[in-house]
């Protein structure tokens, strides 16, 4: 390859690069969908992330993406086991934990913390990461960025589903998705504002059908992780898209819509990618299902790129 051709190819790559802020929702092991979709958007669509916002599994995925550890992230999903996140115990042990020990979660979350340490600790962040967590003591939602010495703990907190796992620390920190399943607002509040927005959700517009829950754990997962979080996510995205369209319509007609503080609203180029097919149980770690989720994400991203070309 001549230097002239190499230069032309490099310039072509730069010309087609699409800078955007990446927003990753919660969704448990359905987060494999995000990894497949992000891979295609970056490798085939030319997307370059200026920063990453994530909650729950989106915080876990976002940490490795912000470090540029793309292959490591794929490897994690292809090898992860349930034991790397939580260890199942017999019902008598659960009853003892809840009644005798007065634990506030069914499972111990220390396995998840060890997994985060193994794959994230000690590696620099190449682009800014922002993760959301909720305190059960204050009820407040807090955003922690990758410059904070608390970032690894914050990723852990953000991925700690309430009821399923014990809240962490004196702040009783839990999953940021409890209040903000898709952290769009965090991305919009950032200064400077996003060049463009790409949101990758782990669930479709409607909750996926499921069998009646057989025990309290299944009922908790279904109520909190599937139905409640799905409604928050859909409402957040739908409301933003609606307002974004109104702001864009006003701008094309020569009007400006202002916020309460007098500053103008801006409309954004936003892409929302989410599954069209059911992805299964939120805490299902089966190899076959995770591979299906990875491929479902790739397919959804390819469909988007094809429609835009």
């Amino acid at each position: 390859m001549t230097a002239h051709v190499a230069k032309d190819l490099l310039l072509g790559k730069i010309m087609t690069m699409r800078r955007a802020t990446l927003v990753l929702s919660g969704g448990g092991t359905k987060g494999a969908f995000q990894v497949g979709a992000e891979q295609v958007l970056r490798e085939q669509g030319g997307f370059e992330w200026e920063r990453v916002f994530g909650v729950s599994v989106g915080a876990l995925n976002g940490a490795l993406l912000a470090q540029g550890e793309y292959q490591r992230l794929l490897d994690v999903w292809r090898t992860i086991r349930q034991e790397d996140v939580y260890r199942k115990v017999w019902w008598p042990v659960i009853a003892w934990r809840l009644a005798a020990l007065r634990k506030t979660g069914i499972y111990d979350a220390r396995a998840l913390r060890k997994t985060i340490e193994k794959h994230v600790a000690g590696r620099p962040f190449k682009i800014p990461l922002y993760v959301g967590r909720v305190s059960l003591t204050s009820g407040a939602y807090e955003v922690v960025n990758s410059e904070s010495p608390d970032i690894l703990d914050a990723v852990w907190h953000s991925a700690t589903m309430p009821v399923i796992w014990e809240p962490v620390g004196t702040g009783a920190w839990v999953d940021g998705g409890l209040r903000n399943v898709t952290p769009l607002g965090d991305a919009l509040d950032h200064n400077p504002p996003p060049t463009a927005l790409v949101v990758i959700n782990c669930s479709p517009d409607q909750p996926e059908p499921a069998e009646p829950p057989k025990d309290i754990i299944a009922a908790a997962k279904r109520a909190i992780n599937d139905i409640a979080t799905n409604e928050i996510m859909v409402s957040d995205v739908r409301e933003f898209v609606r307002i974004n369209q109104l702001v864009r319509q006003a701008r094309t007609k020569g009007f400006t819509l202002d916020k309460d503080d007098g500053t103008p609203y801006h409309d954004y180029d936003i892409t929302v990618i989410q599954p069209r097919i059911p992805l299964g149980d939120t805490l299902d770690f089966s190899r076959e299902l995770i591979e299906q989720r990875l491929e479902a994400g790739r397919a959804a991203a390819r469909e988007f790129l094809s429609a835009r070309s």
Side-chain angles (χ1 to χ4, degrees), residues 93-103 105-108 166:
V93 176
I94 292 176
W96 179 69
R97 280 175 52 82
L98 298 179
L101 299 182
R102 295 186 173 274
K103 297 293 186 180
I106 295 170
Y107 297 125
D108 189 313
E166 273 191 279

Side-chain angles (χ1 to χ4, degrees), residues 194-227:
T195 304
L197 286 162
V198 173
V199 180
I200 308 180
N201 287 331
C202 295
S203 301
D205 283 341
Q206 296 296 324
E208 299 169 8
E211 297 293 328
K214 297 179 180 179
D215 53 49
I216 189 172
I217 298 176
K221 288 194 298 183
R222 180 63 174 164
I224 298 172
N225 300 331
D226 294 342
I227 298 174

Side-chain angles (χ1 to χ4, degrees), residues 99-120:
L101 299 182
R102 295 186 173 274
K103 297 293 186 180
T104 51
I106 295 170
Y107 297 125
D108 189 313
R110 284 178 291 183
L112 175 60
R113 183 65 169 87
K114 290 180 181 178
T115 297
I116 294 169
E117 284 279 351
K118 177 180 178 181
H119 296 290
V120 182

Side-chain angles (χ1 to χ4, degrees), residues 120-193:
V120 182
R123 296 182 178 87
F125 289 91
K126 297 182 178 180
I127 59 173
L129 168 71
Y130 300 82
V131 302
R133 62 183 179 181
V134 170
S135 169
L136 292 185
T137 58
S138 68
Y141 174 84
E142 178 181 272
V143 178
V144 180
N145 68 53
S146 49
E147 294 183 355
S148 169
D150 196 25
I151 185 61
L152 288 188
D153 281 337
V155 171
W156 178 32
H157 301 159
S158 187
T160 300
M161 300 177 188
V163 180
I164 304 299
W165 284 285
E166 273 191 279
V168 182
T170 55
W173 296 105
V174 295
D175 191 341
L178 189 64
R179 289 192 56 176
N180 210 6
V181 179
T182 301
L184 258 175
D186 301 340
L188 294 171
D189 289 340
H190 190 273
N191 187 24

Side-chain angles (χ1 to χ4, degrees), residues 137-307:
T137 58
S138 68
Y141 174 84
E142 178 181 272
V143 178
V144 180
N145 68 53
S146 49
E147 294 183 355
S148 169
D150 196 25
I151 185 61
L152 288 188
D153 281 337
V155 171
W156 178 32
H157 301 159
S158 187
T160 300
M161 300 177 188
V163 180
I164 304 299
W165 284 285
E166 273 191 279
V168 182
T170 55
W173 296 105
V174 295
D175 191 341
L178 189 64
R179 289 192 56 176
N180 210 6
V181 179
T182 301
L184 258 175
D186 301 340
L188 294 171
D189 289 340
H190 190 273
N191 187 24
T195 304
L197 286 162
V198 173
V199 180
I200 308 180
N201 287 331
C202 295
S203 301
D205 283 341
Q206 296 296 324
E208 299 169 8
E211 297 293 328
K214 297 179 180 179
D215 53 49
I216 189 172
I217 298 176
K221 288 194 298 183
R222 180 63 174 164
I224 298 172
N225 300 331
D226 294 342
I227 298 174
T229 57
N230 180 271
E231 178 57 31
I232 297 170
M233 177 194 71
V234 170
S235 297
D236 285 353
V237 175
R238 183 183 295 144
E239 183 66 10
F240 171 76
V241 170
R242 185 183 69 84
I243 294 173
N244 198 54
Q245 289 173 340
L246 291 174
V247 173
R248 181 168 297 169
Q249 290 173 10
R251 178 174 56 81
T252 59
K253 295 181 181 297
F255 296 99
T256 299
L257 300 181
D258 292 335
K259 304 176 186 177
D260 291 341
D261 62 5
T263 59
Y265 279 103
H266 296 281
D267 60 293
Y268 295 91
D269 177 8
I270 180 171
T271 298
V272 180
I273 295 180
Q274 57 194 34
R276 295 182 178 272
I277 60 173
L279 295 182
D281 193 314
T282 304
L283 293 179
D284 189 330
F285 289 84
S286 65
R287 299 266 62 78
E288 181 180 1
L289 187 56
I290 285 177
E291 287 294 338
Q292 290 174 1
R293 290 164 172 170
L294 286 166
E295 187 51 44
R298 295 186 188 106
R302 292 190 196 103
E303 181 180 345
F304 160 73
L305 293 177
S306 176

Side-chain angles (χ1 to χ4, degrees), residues 21-133:
T21 289
L22 180 62
V23 179
L24 301 173
S25 76
T29 54
K30 297 177 186 180
F33 176 90
Q34 293 176 340
V35 177
E38 188 278 337
Q39 180 185 20
V40 168
L41 292 176
R42 176 172 40 81
E43 294 181 355
Q44 300 178 25
F47 277 90
E48 179 182 55
W49 312 122
E50 55 196 1
R51 61 192 76 98
V52 182
F53 290 81
V55 294
S56 195
V57 72
L60 298 171
N61 287 336
L64 286 168
L65 290 174
Q67 291 178 340
E69 294 284 349
Y70 308 123
Q71 187 58 49
R72 176 180 288 272
L73 181 56
L74 270 174
D75 292 343
V76 167
W77 277 102
R78 285 174 167 158
T79 59
I80 197 166
R81 306 164 301 160
Q82 173 195 290
E83 292 78 13
D84 297 322
V85 178
Y86 71 99
R87 300 185 184 279
K88 276 190 173 181
V89 293
W90 291 352
W91 273 108
V93 176
I94 292 176
W96 179 69
R97 280 175 52 82
L98 298 179
L101 299 182
R102 295 186 173 274
K103 297 293 186 180
T104 51
I106 295 170
Y107 297 125
D108 189 313
R110 284 178 291 183
L112 175 60
R113 183 65 169 87
K114 290 180 181 178
T115 297
I116 294 169
E117 284 279 351
K118 177 180 178 181
H119 296 290
V120 182
R123 296 182 178 87
F125 289 91
K126 297 182 178 180
I127 59 173
L129 168 71
Y130 300 82
V131 302
R133 62 183 179 181

